[in-house]
Amino acid sequence: MSEEEFAAIAFKVCITVFVIFLGFIIWNLGKESKAGKFGTAILFLVLGLGIAGFLFKNVLIKLMM
C-alpha cells in the first residue's frame, strides 16, 4: 500500500468518524438545551448544512479534476 492510498483511505475514515461525532454533538446540544423535536430538527438542518457544504465542495473538486 502506497502512502497516497493510505492517505485516501484514512481521509475517508476520519471524515466519516468526524461527521458521526458532529451528529452526536448536535443531538446532545438539542437535548441539553431542551429544544424539543422541532428545535433539534432545525439544529440538524442548519448545522448539518455546514457539513454538507464541506462534503459538496470535495465532490465538486473531484468532478472538476
Side-chain angles (χ1 to χ4, degrees):
M1 178 183 298
S2 70
E3 182 184 356
E4 184 178 342
E5 292 171 336
F6 177 75
I9 293 170
F11 179 75
K12 290 177 186 176
V13 169
C14 288
I15 289 297
T16 302
V17 170
F18 182 66
V19 168
I20 292 169
F21 183 62
L22 285 176
F24 170 73
I25 290 172
I26 295 170
W27 173 77
N28 195 28
L29 179 66
K31 188 176 102 176
E32 298 242 342
S33 67
K34 298 178 183 155
K37 289 181 182 179
F38 182 70
T40 304
I42 295 297
L43 281 171
F44 270 104
L45 176 70
V46 172
L47 297 176
L49 282 175
I51 299 166
F54 173 75
L55 297 175
F56 185 67
K57 177 192 72 156
N58 286 332
V59 170
L60 281 179
I61 289 172
K62 291 227 183 229
L63 289 175
M64 295 180 87
M65 294 194 148

